[in-house]
Amino acid sequence: MAWFKRERKPMAPPADKQVRVPEGLWIKCPGCSTIIYTKDLAASLHVCPRCTHHFRVSAVERLRMLFDAAWEEHDRDLASTDPLEFVDTKPYKDRLAAAQKATGLKDAVICATGCIDGIETEVAAMEYAFIGGSMGVVVGEKITRAVERALDHRRPVVIVSCSGGARMMEGTLSLLQMAKISAALARLDRAGLPFISVLTDPTTGGVTASFAMLGDVILAEPKALIGFAGPRVIEQTIRQKLPEGFQRSEFLLAKGMVDAIVERPHLKATIAQALRFMTPAPAGPSPGGGNGAAA
Ligand SMILES: [Zn+2]
């Protein structure tokens, strides 16, 4: 184990601001218990090289994986005003402040415009590290605006879900976002613009119950937890044992709830292919002589 000690030595005096470094040099795969060097893991898109376990990735990493190059972020400074002045074990204001400090984001989604294999697309990527990726007023508003931007510029929409559901600290206001985003997506549908929903581990609660399941194409990462209520709640309600693999991507694919399970290295190419299939070719001089000659 000498190699292991050698690698650890330079880490001894951790810089005061880099809190995550000492614990993050090596990581144990929950799928196969292999110890993986984190830099190797990042190079493999956070997929275990041995068992293909998909580690959770941040919203920024997700955008980096999907976009060809730099992207333009929108509504970065929208932040919750804590409309209910909610307090549980601690004030919601404090939770927000802690999450903002930990993630560098103002809320649990990043919305951006960029190119996916050359196709200009509006992408919303949810950030699980921000209060469980929960959907409050800000997430709802940002995603709605992303859809409206897509309508204005006639671009497709891709939403990458990673969320525990609606944000309870915003009560009914968070539930209203389900209807708001769904209504915007209905307008996108009427305009004939595609929406691809990507479900990652986990996609649950009000997110599953609204936009995540409204995709023209619904893709899922392998073994992602996808459901509405948790298995324990369901078992207690229906008083039955749930089947093996219940609420995982593979189970949902078998039941027709998702269209495909796509491993992360193929995700971008699959999305681009689907977008090309669903988007009409740009108007130009067509060999068949289109409407151009019509009086
Ligand atoms: Zn593994």
Side-chain angles (χ1 to χ4, degrees):
M1 278 308 194
W3 54 273
F4 189 68
K5 277 182 185 157
R6 256 205 318 276
E7 285 293 332
R8 281 176 66 100
K9 248 181 196 163
M11 294 311 301
D16 53 347
K17 54 186 173 184
Q18 290 177 315
V19 189
R20 275 187 251 171
V21 171
E23 68 182 32
L25 189 55
W26 298 90
I27 193 163
K28 188 175 182 180
C29 173
C32 66
S33 300
T34 303
I35 307 288
I36 312 165
Y37 190 40
T38 45
K39 276 190 181 160
D40 292 344
L41 192 63
S44 63
L45 303 179
H46 299 269
V47 175
C48 172
R50 184 184 274 186
C51 74
T52 73
H53 171 80
H54 283 50
F55 288 79
R56 194 168 294 149
V57 298
S58 71
V60 171
E61 284 169 307
R62 181 65 68 177
L63 294 180
R64 209 174 285 143
M65 288 171 193
L66 290 180
F67 285 135
D68 301 343
W71 59 84
E72 185 192 350
E73 187 178 343
H74 304 280
D75 308 314
R76 190 182 163 76
D77 293 324
L78 277 192
S80 175
T81 54
D82 184 15
L84 306 180
E85 297 179 358
F86 192 85
V87 179
D88 48 77
T89 52
K90 60 176 174 174
Y92 175 40
K93 266 197 176 64
D94 294 354
R95 285 188 195 281
L96 280 171
Q100 286 168 349
K101 193 165 173 234
T103 60
L105 304 178
K106 290 276 194 273
D107 215 295
V109 71
I110 301 180
C111 295
T113 310
C115 286
I116 299 179
D117 200 16
I119 308 163
E120 273 209 325
T121 308
E122 298 295 334
V123 178
M126 302 187 82
E127 175 56 68
Y128 193 79
F130 197 107
I131 318 184
S134 52
M135 172 175 61
V137 171
V138 172
V139 169
E141 179 64 19
K142 283 176 79 167
I143 294 180
T144 303
R145 287 187 190 183
V147 175
E148 289 172 345
R149 230 176 357 258
L151 275 162
D152 287 346
H153 300 280
R154 293 206 60 82
R155 293 179 190 137
V157 173
V158 173
I159 304 178
V160 184
S161 296
C162 188
S163 173
R167 189 171 299 168
M168 293 299 103
M169 301 83 150
E170 293 185 18
T172 310
L173 295 169
S174 70
L175 299 180
L176 284 172
Q177 307 311 312
M178 298 166 64
K180 186 164 86 179
I181 299 171
S182 300
L185 286 170
R187 278 183 281 146
L188 190 79
D189 184 55
R190 283 199 291 276
L193 294 165
F195 162 42
I196 297 183
S197 178
V198 181
L199 315 180
T200 72
D201 184 63
T203 298
T204 57
V207 167
T208 307
S210 60
F211 61 86
M213 288 298 169
L214 293 176
D216 296 306
V217 173
I218 303 177
L219 306 175
E221 287 196 333
K223 298 198 179 114
L225 175 71
I226 301 160
F228 180 61
R232 198 157 23 97
V233 174
I234 299 173
E235 275 188 343
Q236 282 166 4
T237 308
I238 64 173
R239 293 166 196 279
Q240 280 179 38
K241 193 98 190 85
L242 295 169
E244 185 71 24
F246 180 71
Q247 289 187 325
R248 294 283 163 186
S249 309
E250 293 70 16
F251 188 88
L252 271 80
L253 179 71
K255 302 292 176 191
M257 291 288 283
V258 304
D259 295 305
I261 295 172
V262 185
E263 291 193 356
R264 203 171 286 158
H266 306 297
L267 191 58
K268 179 177 172 175
T270 306
I271 290 173
Q273 190 185 14
L275 289 180
R276 285 225 161 74
F277 180 74
M278 291 189 286
T279 316
S286 64
N291 296 335

